[in-house]
Amino acid sequence: MNIVIVGQGAIGLLCYHRLSQAIINQQGDNLVSLWPSTPTTLSDYLFSEMNDIAKSFPFTMADNQLIASADVIIFCVKSYQVTEALKAVDHLISDDAVIILTHNGLGTLEEISPRLKPSQCLLALLLTQGAKKVAPYHVKHTGMGHSDLGIIYGTLDSIKQKQLLEHLNKSLKQLSWQENIQQAQWKKLAINCVINPISALNDIENGEVNQKAYQRMTEDIISEVVAVATKEGVILSEILLRQLIHNVAKSTNRNTSSMRADVRNKRRTEIEYINGYIHRLGEKHKLTTAMNTQLWLAVKALEDKY
Ligand code: PAF
């Protein structure tokens, strides 16, 4: 199974590292390659384990030929980069390649489905592993967690599915197959709708989102997400989501959310695919999403000031 990782951010390098260390053929050849979004002349990268020990490893860079022969292509890019990243390579990708998306938020499937061939299969990989880019081409693994994988477009035969799961489990660990990945994606979206904008706008760590001051706001965000999800055919429980989000904020209490990190580094955030997605679906279904809309506008205003 030839695998190409697209993107050299924290998650891209983490996936590349874990997969290239674990997946080699009987001749000892590396079957994983990296397709960076900006060309590099580097031949090595640095990887720091959770115990802070950093080691240098050589890359295998993907070229057009490797992309064309890839069985699996994992797009480790931000939600707002998915369409462009796919456009850059989709003329090369084989008709039966499996495409995997790993980003936060929802809404990219609507953007890219017109570009997909009926024989292609698109999967969502919901990673809860933490990774931090210390410098360009230096990533640090900051946390282990459970990950989910499932189909969001097309079909996958059971042999290929089993093989893929085995390969990814060998490298990424604690990975399970979800028949209903849409439900898991919505739960992740609800977590991001609460933790990301609150932590980014108030410049606080994840754990502080559980403070009483943000409780009412959290409840409003969740009830709007649940109402919109219901219209989309996804049934979520407000009580369970509140508990889940509380637990995620608690277990990642000293972490900086990806949106807070983006704002601090004056980078574009994924707000359009998080609270912005809820806002757009609210308009579509004629539902008020006052709190999500307010947070979407507030984060956009912050980005406009950079
Ligand atoms: O976007 C993030 O930072 C993460 O998805 C989460 C779960 C909010 C934890 O930091």
Side-chain angles (χ1 to χ4, degrees):
M1 194 173 259
N2 286 304
I3 303 181
V4 175
I5 310 288
V6 176
Q8 74 284 21
I11 295 296
L13 283 184
L14 173 70
C15 288
Y16 174 76
H17 181 73
R18 292 287 180 236
L19 266 68
S20 58
Q21 294 294 301
I23 305 171
I24 43 172
N25 67 10
Q26 281 160 345
Q27 289 75 43
D29 305 320
N30 178 13
L31 299 176
V32 185
S33 56
L34 184 83
W35 178 276
S37 49
T38 40
T40 175
T41 49
L42 293 176
S43 55
D44 297 280
Y45 65 99
L46 275 172
F47 189 86
S48 300
E49 291 290 352
M50 286 202 278
N51 59 11
D52 260 336
I53 296 176
K55 262 173 91 177
S56 164
F57 297 87
F59 279 128
T60 300
M61 286 293 173
D63 54 14
N64 287 6
Q65 214 182 333
L66 277 171
I67 285 266
S69 62
D71 302 295
V72 180
I73 303 176
I74 309 181
F75 283 84
C76 298
V77 295
K78 297 272 191 182
S79 44
Y80 54 82
Q81 296 168 325
V82 168
T83 304
E84 284 308 309
L86 184 66
K87 263 191 207 164
V89 292
D90 71 353
H91 59 289
L92 300 167
I93 300 180
S94 88
D95 285 0
D96 60 353
V98 175
I99 297 167
I100 303 184
L101 304 180
T102 62
H103 61 80
N104 272 339
L106 281 173
T108 53
L109 180 61
E110 290 88 329
E111 284 175 17
I112 64 172
S113 51
R115 306 192 69 86
L116 299 170
K117 298 180 187 115
S119 55
Q120 280 173 336
C121 175
L122 195 65
L123 306 181
L125 171 61
L126 306 179
L127 284 167
T128 50
Q129 304 223 10
K132 195 173 158 190
K133 202 165 165 178
V134 183
Y137 290 97
H138 180 183
V139 70
K140 178 173 158 48
H141 194 186
T142 53
M144 277 300 286
H146 191 93
S147 302
D148 291 311
L149 184 70
I151 300 176
I152 52 173
Y153 172 97
T155 51
L156 191 63
D157 73 61
S158 54
I159 299 172
K160 223 171 167 182
Q161 177 187 318
K162 202 168 156 254
Q163 210 185 0
L164 179 65
L165 199 62
E166 264 171 30
H167 270 77
L168 295 185
N169 238 331
K170 203 157 68 173
S171 44
L172 297 175
K173 314 268 192 258
Q174 300 180 44
L175 179 72
S176 27
W177 183 261
Q178 291 295 336
E179 284 305 331
N180 187 356
I181 192 76
Q182 209 198 2
Q183 181 87 13
Q185 283 183 296
W186 271 90
K187 282 189 193 161
K188 176 110 197 280
L189 178 69
I191 296 170
N192 290 134
C193 278
V194 172
I195 298 181
N196 294 31
I198 295 180
S199 62
L201 290 165
N202 300 289
D203 196 19
I204 55 175
E205 290 175 346
N206 289 358
E208 293 174 85
V209 174
N210 280 340
Q211 284 172 2
K212 218 171 165 31
Y214 307 113
Q215 195 180 325
R216 184 65 209 276
M217 185 180 266
T218 299
E219 285 169 12
D220 288 351
I221 300 169
I222 296 172
S223 65
E224 290 169 15
V225 170
V226 171
V228 166
T230 308
K231 292 279 182 190
E232 289 287 300
V234 176
I235 306 302
L236 299 169
S237 149
E238 275 189 49
I239 298 172
L240 294 183
L241 280 182
R242 268 189 229 159
Q243 197 55 54
L244 175 69
I245 295 167
H246 184 90
N247 291 346
V248 172
K250 201 170 156 190
S251 62
T252 61
N253 71 326
R254 297 305 313 274
N255 287 13
T256 285
S257 76
S258 55
M259 194 171 284
R260 181 186 184 214
D262 287 339
V263 168
R264 286 188 140 200
N265 290 298
K266 302 201 181 331
R267 289 189 300 246
R268 184 174 169 185
T269 73
E270 295 185 283
I271 196 73
E272 290 295 337
Y273 297 81
I274 299 178
N275 306 83
Y277 184 68
I278 298 299
H279 166 78
R280 289 194 296 283
L281 286 183
E283 285 196 322
K284 174 179 154 193
H285 296 296
K286 304 202 172 17
L287 284 176
T288 352
T289 57
M291 191 50 76
N292 281 280
T293 301
Q294 188 186 315
L295 292 168
W296 166 61
L297 291 172
V299 174
K300 266 174 17 129
L302 211 59
E303 285 179 328
D304 288 345
K305 279 203 241 144
Y306 299 161

